[in-house]
Amino acid sequence: MPSTSTSLSPLSTGLARATAGLNLCHENASEVWHQRPPLDFLQIHPEHLIQEEGGTYRDQLDDLRHAYPIVLHGFGLSLGSCAPLDQDYLQLVKRVLKEHPEAFFSDHVSWSSLSHHHFHDLLPLVMNDETLDYLVERIDQAQELIGQPILLENISSYMRFRDSTYDEPSFINALTERTGAYVLMDVNNLWANAVNFGENPLTQLMEYRQSSVRGYHLAGCTRQQAGDGDVYIDYHGEAVHETVWDLYEKALRHFGPWPTLLEWENHVPPLERTLQEVSRITRYLNDLSVAPGAT
């Protein structure tokens, strides 16, 4: 079934490719607002523009989103749910994108709402042809409304469905091919899923279409005891694991340098520590730019 987004223009923003940014959240907004660190960009959540009707955080958010280049990252669109897409939400995204020509909008290949109830988790999908057709239709609708391609993030998941006929890379490849959307590669999510299910993270990474990736997320995951072994939980409450840094470097060399975000939203340390992680992203991007044969 062909996509209805064939007339959609390719993603074009004013944000430079080799850039390092930080996620803005309640836990770090005050320090970022007061210190104004030299960040390439900030990531903000459209949901916060809806939920925060005033007060210190909203004032700081509005100030900072005009002081830095931004990208938009949603967690409430719920592409895989059975409810109609939230038109008011997408109109908000469209307005903010118009205010910020450098920005792009991303969300997740998941579902997170049912009967007007929004969960605090991004839930996995049955990855088969029926779900694929359904998501293609909804992604097309969303992209047509906001006027540009969406970036789709791979989620962390702790269960898989017997009825799935695709693995995650092939499912997301089919989505991007049919809709013109791109991939926001969460390197930590990919690594944690592969380790949790006994797979090779690099093999999983290399299954994604090389032309589809347009951004990266990095975060720390937490190891927890589960049954007879350990499981890695995507909690964003600690530093990025060394093995994830290694995988990120391989991703850069394969897919190229794209805007990379550091997410640290739980057990948030002083801003100085978080910025060390952002600086490390910059070093990886700079090393790639001077490497022999780098593009």
Side-chain angles (χ1 to χ4, degrees):
M1 181 183 298
S3 167
T4 60
S5 292
T6 53
S7 62
L8 199 68
S9 299
L11 184 68
S12 177
T13 76
L15 192 65
R17 285 182 62 178
T19 48
L22 180 66
N23 186 59
L24 187 70
C25 58
H26 289 80
E27 291 77 10
N28 65 16
S30 181
E31 281 192 286
V32 174
W33 188 83
H34 283 99
Q35 297 185 29
R36 305 297 170 109
L39 296 162
D40 294 333
F41 68 93
L42 285 173
Q43 176 181 276
I44 68 171
H45 299 296
E47 290 79 4
H48 290 176
L49 297 173
I50 299 171
Q51 297 165 357
E52 303 292 334
E53 297 181 354
T56 301
Y57 176 68
R58 177 57 191 269
D59 291 343
Q60 292 172 341
L61 187 161
D62 282 334
D63 191 10
L64 288 168
R65 76 181 177 95
H66 291 101
Y68 291 92
I70 69 164
V71 299
L72 296 176
H73 185 55
F75 52 83
L77 187 56
S78 196
L79 283 167
S81 76
C82 57
L85 292 174
D86 189 330
Q87 300 296 303
D88 291 339
Y89 176 83
L90 289 170
Q91 288 290 351
L92 170 66
V93 170
K94 182 178 181 178
R95 289 197 301 272
V96 178
L97 288 173
K98 187 175 181 179
E99 293 176 28
H100 297 273
E102 79 281 4
F104 55 76
F105 171 65
S106 60
D107 210 294
H108 305 82
V109 182
S110 67
W111 67 283
S112 57
S113 62
L114 182 66
S115 301
H116 305 291
H117 176 78
H118 283 266
F119 306 107
H120 295 290
D121 291 298
L122 302 168
L123 302 171
L125 298 162
V126 178
M127 292 182 286
N128 58 21
D129 286 330
E130 182 179 3
T131 306
L132 178 64
D133 290 343
Y134 181 68
L135 282 184
V136 165
E137 180 181 352
R138 286 166 70 84
I139 292 167
D140 281 346
Q141 290 174 5
Q143 291 183 147
E144 182 177 0
L145 198 153
I146 69 172
Q148 69 179 52
I150 292 173
L151 273 68
L152 302 171
E153 182 183 335
N154 53 303
I155 69 166
S156 59
S157 55
Y158 312 100
M159 60 176 291
R160 290 176 177 173
F161 297 97
R162 284 193 297 269
D163 289 339
S164 290
T165 55
Y166 294 83
D167 62 11
E168 186 169 62
S170 60
F171 187 76
I172 293 179
N173 285 343
L175 282 176
T176 58
E177 187 172 9
R178 289 177 55 180
T179 65
Y182 293 96
V183 174
L184 176 59
M185 175 59 65
D186 192 306
V187 183
N188 177 72
N189 287 351
L190 184 146
W191 178 86
N193 288 352
V195 172
N196 287 340
F197 287 100
E199 298 165 343
N200 186 304
L202 182 58
T203 300
Q204 291 289 304
L205 180 71
M206 293 302 167
E207 287 185 9
Y208 282 85
R209 289 197 307 142
Q210 193 171 23
S211 61
S212 67
V213 173
R214 288 295 181 272
Y216 303 100
H217 274 187
L218 291 172
C221 56
T222 302
R223 185 169 67 178
Q224 294 185 5
Q225 182 72 30
D228 295 330
D230 294 330
V231 62
Y232 288 92
I233 305 296
D234 178 42
Y235 188 56
H236 298 182
E238 58 189 84
V240 179
H241 290 209
E242 288 300 321
T243 49
V244 175
W245 283 114
D246 292 342
L247 192 63
Y248 172 59
E249 181 180 22
K250 292 179 174 65
L252 288 177
R253 295 187 180 281
H254 184 68
F255 299 107
W258 295 103
T260 304
L261 183 90
L262 188 281
E263 294 181 297
W264 200 329
E265 300 160 296
N266 293 297
H267 305 311
V268 178
L271 183 61
E272 180 181 4
R273 174 67 186 95
T274 310
L275 293 176
Q276 291 174 4
E277 298 283 280
V278 178
S279 295
R280 187 169 179 180
I281 293 172
T282 300
R283 292 197 298 274
Y284 275 84
L285 292 167
N286 290 341
D287 288 346
L288 180 68
S289 67
V290 299
T295 57

